[in-house]
Amino acid sequence: MQNANLLYHKTVVYSIISLLALPIVATMIYSFSSRWGATILPDGFTLKWYGQLFSDIRFLEAFGRSLFVCITALLLALVLVIPLAFVVFYYYPGYDRLMNILILLPFAVPPVVSSVGLLQFYADAPFPMLGTPWILIGTYFTIALPFIYRAIANNFMAINLKDLVDAAHLLGASTPKAFFHIILPNLKKGVLASMFLSFSFLLGEFVFANILVGTRYETLQVYLYNMRQTSGHFTSALVMTYFFFIFICTWLGSRISKSNAL
C-alpha cells in the first residue's frame, strides 16, 4: 500500500514537472530548428539564430545595460542596508517589526501606478532623470530592498549578533572593527544568496524599464519586447538565452542558501 501511494505521488509530481517543462523544451527545440512547419519534428537543426543573436550589437548593449543597472542597484542596496540592519539588530532590535513593514511598502503599489507617479514627479525636475539609467537604479533599489534586508536580518538572527559584538568588545575591539572583521565575514553566504536571487528577479523586470526609459536606454526586457515581431526562431533563441542565464543565477542563489542553512 505504501509503495502504491509513493508511486502515485511520484507520478503526479513528474507529470506536473513534465507539463511545466514542455513549453520550455518546445521553445528550445524551435530555437535550434532551421525550419519547423507542419511536421511533428523540425526539418533540421542549426545554430544560425544563436549566431545572429550574439553578433547583434543591439542585444549585447541591452544586456550590458541590464547588468549595469541591476548590479549597481544591488551594490547600492548592500552598502545602505547592511549598516542599517546592523544598527537595528544591535542597538534597536525592537524596530525590526517596523522595518519589516517599511520594506514591503514598494510592493503595496503596482509598478504601473508607481511608474506614472515617477513620470509626473521627475517631469519637471531640475536635472534630467527620465530616460536615464539612474531612475532605473533607484526603482530597482526599492525592489531589491526587501530581499536584501530580509536575508541579512535572517543572518543576524542566526549568528547571535549581540553576543559576537560583545565578545569582540571584551577582547578590546571597537564596534566598527568588530563589524568589519567579525560580522561581515559571517554574512558572506547570506549576502551572496540574496544577491543572486535579487539579480534574477531584477533582470526580468519590464514595467519600470519600459515606461521610465523605453528605447532611450534599452534594457534586455525592452529589447525582447521590441524584437517580438522578428523571426520566431530568433526570438526563441533570445528567450532561451535569457531563461538559462536566469536559471543559473537562481540555481547559484539556491545552492548558496542551502549551504548557508547547513
Side-chain angles (χ1 to χ4, degrees):
M1 184 66 181
Q2 186 176 1
N3 292 334
N5 289 334
L6 182 61
L7 179 61
Y8 171 75
H9 290 304
K10 285 185 176 180
T11 303
V12 172
V13 171
Y14 290 144
S15 298
I16 294 175
I17 293 175
S18 301
L19 185 63
L20 294 175
L22 184 60
I24 299 174
V25 174
T27 304
M28 183 176 62
I29 296 175
Y30 194 70
S31 68
F32 285 107
S33 63
S34 57
R35 183 179 180 184
W36 196 356
T39 58
I40 297 178
L41 296 176
D43 297 336
F45 294 95
T46 180
L47 295 175
K48 170 185 174 182
W49 313 113
Y50 286 93
Q52 288 184 4
L53 177 64
F54 287 102
S55 62
D56 186 1
I57 300 299
R58 185 178 168 189
F59 163 74
L60 297 177
E61 291 178 347
F63 188 70
R65 294 188 190 105
S66 292
L67 292 179
F68 170 73
V69 170
C70 294
I71 293 175
T72 305
L74 290 175
L75 292 178
L76 178 63
L78 287 178
V79 170
L80 295 179
V81 172
I82 292 179
L84 173 63
F86 175 79
V87 171
V88 169
F89 276 85
Y90 186 68
Y91 293 104
Y92 311 102
Y95 285 0
D96 181 47
R97 294 182 179 179
L98 177 61
M99 289 299 302
N100 287 329
I101 297 175
L102 292 177
I103 62 175
L104 292 177
L105 289 179
F107 292 99
V109 182
V112 175
V113 178
S114 301
S115 300
V116 173
L118 289 171
L119 284 174
Q120 294 180 351
F121 183 80
Y122 287 104
D124 299 325
F127 48 90
M129 288 284 290
L130 299 178
T132 67
W134 315 117
I135 192 169
L136 270 188
I137 291 172
T139 54
Y140 283 8
F141 165 78
T142 61
I143 296 174
L145 183 62
F147 301 100
I148 301 293
Y149 178 82
R150 195 64 261 160
I152 294 173
N154 291 338
N155 266 38
F156 278 149
M157 289 186 290
I159 65 176
N160 296 320
L161 172 65
K162 191 170 183 59
D163 292 340
L164 283 177
V165 177
D166 289 345
H169 287 164
L170 290 175
L171 295 174
S174 62
T175 300
K177 190 172 183 179
F179 174 74
F180 284 106
H181 293 279
I182 298 175
I183 303 304
L184 282 183
N186 282 281
L187 299 178
K188 183 173 63 175
K189 288 187 177 180
V191 167
L192 287 176
S194 62
M195 285 279 286
F196 279 113
L197 294 175
S198 301
F199 177 79
S200 62
F201 183 81
L202 291 179
L203 196 64
E205 201 287 320
F206 171 73
V207 177
F208 285 118
N210 188 46
I211 295 179
L212 296 178
V213 296
T215 55
R216 289 171 291 180
Y217 192 80
E218 191 177 48
T219 60
L220 184 60
Q221 282 293 321
V222 177
Y223 173 80
L224 176 59
Y225 176 77
N226 292 332
M227 298 299 290
R228 69 190 188 282
Q229 299 296 337
T230 59
S231 169
H233 299 280
F234 180 85
T235 307
S236 298
L238 173 58
V239 170
M240 292 309 303
T241 301
Y242 166 76
F243 171 79
F244 279 113
F245 187 80
I246 294 296
F247 176 79
I248 291 172
C249 292
T250 307
W251 178 79
L252 288 174
S254 300
R255 292 286 296 179
I256 295 173
S257 298
K258 288 181 180 178
S259 62
N260 190 37
L262 294 176

